Amino acid sequence: MLKRHAGWVIAAPATLAVIIFLVLPVAATIGTTFGDPDGLFAAYADFFNSGFRRNVLWRTLEISLITTAISLFVGFLTAYVVAKSPGRLKSLLIIAAVFPLLTGVVVRSFAWLIMLGKNGILNNFLVAIGVTNEPLSMLYTQGAVIAAMVYLFVPLTILTLVGVLENIPEDVVQASASLGATPAATFRQVILPLAVPGLIVGAVLVFTGSFTAYATPQLVGGERQMVMGTLMYQRAMVSFDWVGASTIAAIMVVLTITVVLAMSRMARRLNPMAT
Amino acid sequence: MTLPLTIENLTAHYGPTKVLEDLSLSVGAGELVSLLGASGCGKTTTLRLVAGFLEPTAGTILLGGKDLTKLPAYKRDIGLVFQNYALFPHLSVLENVAFGLKQRGISPAERQKRALAMLERVGLSPLADRLPGALSGGQKQRVALARALVIEPPLLMFDEPLSNLDAKLRIDMRVEIRQLQRANGTTSVYVTHDQEEAFSISDRVAIMNAGRIMQFDTPEVLYQRPANAFVARFVGFENLIPMHVLARQGEQVIAEAAGGVKLHFNQDRFGQIPDDFVLAARADGLAATANLAAEGLPAMLGLRTYLGRAYQYQCETAAGLLVANGSLSDPLRSGDGARLVPLPEQCCILAPEHS
Ligand SMILES: Nc1ncnc2c1ncn2[C@@H]1O[C@H](COP(=O)(O)OP(=O)(O)OP(=O)(O)O)[C@@H](O)[C@H]1O
Ligand SMILES: [Mg+2]
């Protein structure tokens, strides 16, 4: 009797905490979006009827998908090198990769202000070597936001992928070579599929992180590169439009879940072992 | 297609440590040769060198006259069965077997046909769609075998392929491997640390120690005429007794063991006997007798164990602790004095160990 319910008993406190602190607030937030007197979906119609807001949504999706792709690519290559390095060098490389994580998001985004500003390091350098006569305006562009966010998320992807790549047994890779697979074929047919679970975890982390990012787009992108996070802040804290902000939040939740589900579907297609 | 493998003067290092030294080995076309030796003696390293996963510091590897030494692994066309099978965990059994064919640019229909035929041969066609994670050890072993065989390589190599299986399956599988190898006539190198396994399936066996080959010959010769003390001990000669020649009378040689006991040896049986040598005998080759007048090593009998066909005695002698057998009809008591008589037809004479 006790045994049969033991699982529930053990899980109860955590379940309760999740319901009280996560499900209820989110439900309440989303609930308010359906309370508009003009109709159940009026708040959403409002959002999607605004070209500006549609633009923000589109830009956010674009920025976070590009950030995810670049972070995974860079992270994968780096993780591959790290995983192949001998012991001592490996720990050193991992520490180097993790090091930026020791500072805050704001500090790291600020670094990009210094790098990309009109009087920044990059502009001074470009002018010095004569690539350009005048400083370029690189801040407050989509590229700047993406660069800053990639910088933010690459350590995360490296960490996830080093573990996965290290777990690919050496002899499986050798088996592939012994069966005549070129290094490229081994990479495509063995290493990549076996790394898929890690790639998915990385993709989910980076996508959710960059889709909901606030500080980085605020600092590096400013008003010109408004994204969902900054738009929501503006709705709530500048315009005091709580329903509008909640609507944005609801759209973000739904989109994030959709993309995460799509990613795990893709993973299953590439690798039947991934869940 | 079947080709001879020739390894010449191979030396290999891991970092600064030398793990193989001047190793030479030739495997005839269609022959199955085993590398036999204790853990860490360099068997896997030898396979890795031939497969191309490790570069030798010196030496050459020839397959049918073609120099493989500098060729990358994927161009060597060698079938390899790994100790831990190394199946592709994300591919089905069928896809695992078809993998090598795919790399050779064979059409999907054709490779499916050939892979299925190979699975049929190893009795696994019902499991074609399973993932390796859902197979037993013996089944994985067969998939690994099928995957290596289906590419019809001129050379097959096995790295302790049966070490993860239970005793009964191990015997079944080794017979199967031998039959498949015979049927295809594929030149094969088989690594194991199990003497019985090596002797039972090989044409010839190379006994290795610390990165060198100690003796390379047929199982019969290794078992009956080991070339040195290491091999003798390896094939079960428990008693290695250092002797020194005192006198030679024609073919008769009189030699002395520790403690001053003199024994006669006949060079008709043993060939030229050097001045210092080691007399090697299994327990079977050393007869314990209560007849103190017999020509043998004086011994004090210790523990007696019953073997079914004989009694076995732990014996204290001036030459150290020896193991001898005695007849069932005449059990001796521990604590008694006895003589241990070497039976010439079951003994070997070897060079002293330190040379
Ligand atoms: N990657 C490596 N780096 C350094 N030393 C190694 C490496 N692989 C093996 N060695 C060393 O080389 C020697 C030979 O190893 P090898 O794997 O060839 O032994 P083996 O005969 O196959 O043993 P086993 O029966 O245990 O598989 C051992 O002393 C081992 O410690
Ligand atoms: Mg080994």
Side-chain angles (χ1 to χ4, degrees):
Chain A
M1 188 68 185
L2 190 73
K3 235 179 187 163
R4 188 134 52 92
H5 297 291
W8 290 107
V9 174
I10 293 167
T15 312
L16 218 63
V18 167
I19 291 175
I20 293 174
F21 297 111
L22 191 74
V23 176
L24 288 183
V26 171
T29 307
I30 293 177
T32 61
T33 65
F34 298 110
D36 198 292
D38 296 344
L40 209 52
F41 296 105
Y44 294 91
D46 223 31
F47 180 93
F48 286 105
N49 281 335
S50 152
F52 172 72
R53 290 180 216 179
R54 275 206 312 271
N55 248 339
V56 169
L57 174 59
W58 184 241
R59 179 187 301 125
T60 314
L61 266 178
E62 194 177 316
I63 288 178
S64 38
L65 285 175
I66 295 175
T67 302
T68 306
I70 298 178
S71 301
L72 283 183
F73 184 73
V74 175
F76 189 89
L77 294 184
T78 317
Y80 192 71
V81 174
V82 172
K84 290 238 154 199
S85 325
R88 280 280 283 289
L89 182 62
K90 187 188 291 178
S91 339
L92 220 71
L93 288 173
I94 291 181
I95 291 171
V98 177
F99 202 73
L101 292 178
L102 297 179
T103 61
V105 175
V106 176
V107 174
R108 282 189 284 160
S109 302
F110 213 80
W112 284 89
L113 288 179
I114 297 169
M115 289 257 292
L116 301 179
K118 275 261 151 69
N119 235 329
I121 298 168
L122 193 55
N123 264 322
N124 287 345
F125 175 72
L126 290 179
V127 172
I129 63 168
V131 170
T132 164
N133 294 326
E134 288 186 9
L136 304 169
S137 46
M138 287 180 285
L139 272 180
Y140 314 121
T141 61
Q142 188 161 322
V145 178
I146 290 173
M149 293 229 270
V150 164
Y151 171 69
L152 214 59
F153 288 114
V154 159
L156 221 57
T157 57
I158 294 176
L159 280 187
T160 352
L161 289 169
V162 165
V164 174
L165 290 174
E166 269 183 334
N167 278 336
I168 297 179
E170 184 72 15
D171 55 2
V172 169
V173 177
Q174 292 177 346
S176 172
S178 82
L179 289 166
T182 61
T186 297
F187 185 82
R188 215 178 45 249
Q189 294 173 37
V190 178
I191 294 173
L192 205 54
L194 289 178
V196 160
L199 286 169
I200 294 301
V201 172
V204 168
L205 284 176
V206 178
F207 180 80
T208 51
S210 51
F211 190 71
T212 57
Y214 169 73
T216 309
Q218 178 71 51
L219 283 170
V220 184
E223 292 276 308
R224 275 207 271 150
Q225 298 298 327
M226 188 161 286
V227 295
M228 293 293 268
T230 47
L231 177 66
M232 183 169 74
Y233 178 82
Q234 196 206 44
R235 295 273 55 157
M237 297 313 202
V238 181
S239 319
F240 297 109
D241 172 11
W242 286 97
V243 174
S246 299
T247 311
I248 295 170
I251 292 170
M252 284 168 75
V253 169
V254 171
L255 267 173
T256 314
I257 291 174
T258 312
V259 172
V260 168
L261 287 180
M263 281 175 178
S264 40
R265 256 189 98 104
M266 215 160 72
R268 251 197 308 275
R269 286 228 347 240
L270 289 172
N271 175 354
M273 291 189 320
T275 46
Chain B
M1 179 174 50
T2 176
L3 298 170
L5 170 73
T6 312
I7 298 173
E8 285 167 355
N9 311 105
L10 215 54
T11 299
H13 292 76
Y14 282 118
T17 6
K18 188 186 284 179
V19 286
L20 280 194
E21 189 167 357
D22 201 25
L23 185 131
S24 297
L25 183 75
S26 64
V27 184
E31 195 181 21
L32 191 155
V33 163
S34 283
L35 303 180
L36 175 64
S39 187
C41 70
K43 307 180 296 287
T44 298
T45 305
T46 309
L47 290 199
R48 283 168 53 87
L49 287 161
V50 177
F53 305 141
L54 185 68
E55 240 190 84
T57 22
T60 47
I61 300 160
L62 301 166
L63 184 59
K66 183 170 145 200
D67 190 349
L68 296 186
T69 321
K70 291 274 179 279
L71 218 57
Y74 67 93
K75 287 187 182 157
R76 293 196 184 191
D77 201 18
I78 293 172
L80 204 52
V81 179
F82 290 78
Q83 180 160 4
N84 299 311
Y85 318 127
L87 300 178
F88 304 118
H90 59 299
L91 299 179
S92 70
V93 166
L94 185 68
E95 288 167 324
N96 261 279
V97 176
F99 189 91
L101 300 172
K102 184 173 176 183
Q103 311 312 319
R104 282 161 179 71
I106 290 162
S107 75
E110 174 68 16
R111 64 185 187 239
Q112 166 134 359
K113 200 183 98 203
R114 283 202 225 167
L116 275 174
M118 185 49 74
L119 282 175
E120 183 79 51
R121 257 176 92 185
V122 297
L124 279 186
S125 9
L127 304 181
D129 295 326
R130 289 248 190 114
L131 287 178
L135 297 180
S136 74
Q139 292 165 341
K140 284 184 197 168
Q141 215 286 325
R142 280 161 217 253
V143 178
L145 191 61
R147 186 177 69 173
L149 283 171
V150 78
I151 59 175
E152 298 178 4
L155 174 66
L156 266 173
M157 301 200 294
F158 302 85
D159 191 359
E160 307 199 25
L162 307 181
S163 59
N164 293 339
L165 307 182
D166 69 50
K168 162 129 176 45
L169 196 55
R170 211 150 53 208
I171 293 175
D172 293 349
M173 284 302 298
R174 81 184 183 210
V175 171
E176 238 171 274
I177 288 180
R178 180 56 158 163
Q179 280 168 347
L180 279 169
Q181 185 266 340
R182 271 273 168 79
N184 289 18
T186 312
T187 312
S188 301
V189 179
Y190 189 99
V191 161
T192 177
H193 58 243
D194 181 336
Q195 185 199 321
E196 186 196 319
E197 189 173 302
F199 280 22
S200 65
I201 71 167
S202 314
D203 294 308
R204 285 190 294 166
V205 176
I207 294 182
M208 291 181 68
N209 179 39
R212 295 160 171 274
I213 290 179
M214 305 306 288
Q215 191 175 358
F216 179 34
D217 219 316
T218 61
E220 290 83 352
V221 170
L222 291 171
Y223 195 77
Q224 287 157 19
R225 284 185 281 124
N228 49 57
F230 180 86
V231 175
R233 210 174 280 120
F234 201 93
V235 297
F237 285 79
E238 292 123 312
N239 305 301
L240 297 180
I241 307 157
M243 309 280 304
H244 177 71
V245 173
L246 294 176
R248 295 171 188 273
Q249 298 159 357
E251 291 305 293
Q252 280 290 313
V253 169
I254 300 171
E256 180 189 47
V261 59
K262 295 178 181 64
L263 300 175
H264 287 77
F265 295 92
N266 193 333
Q267 295 200 133
D268 285 341
R269 156 76 182 101
F270 292 111
Q272 183 61 40
I273 295 175
D275 281 349
D276 281 294
F277 67 92
V278 170
L279 173 67
R282 294 191 172 88
D284 274 335
L286 217 49
T289 167
N291 173 10
L292 300 183
E295 185 188 295
L297 300 145
M300 175 71 84
L301 299 182
L303 184 69
R304 183 181 79 195
T305 49
Y306 175 64
L307 298 183
R309 61 192 153 84
Y311 285 113
Q312 186 159 91
Y313 302 93
Q314 308 291 320
C315 315
E316 273 179 52
T317 72
L321 209 59
L322 301 179
V323 191
N325 284 359
S327 78
L328 286 176
S329 57
D330 173 24
L332 308 175
R333 280 203 318 269
S334 88
D336 284 357
R339 291 285 179 276
L340 310 182
V341 181
L343 308 175
E345 61 282 6
Q346 291 182 50
C347 292
C348 292
I349 280 184
L350 309 169
E353 224 169 328
H354 49 265
S355 68

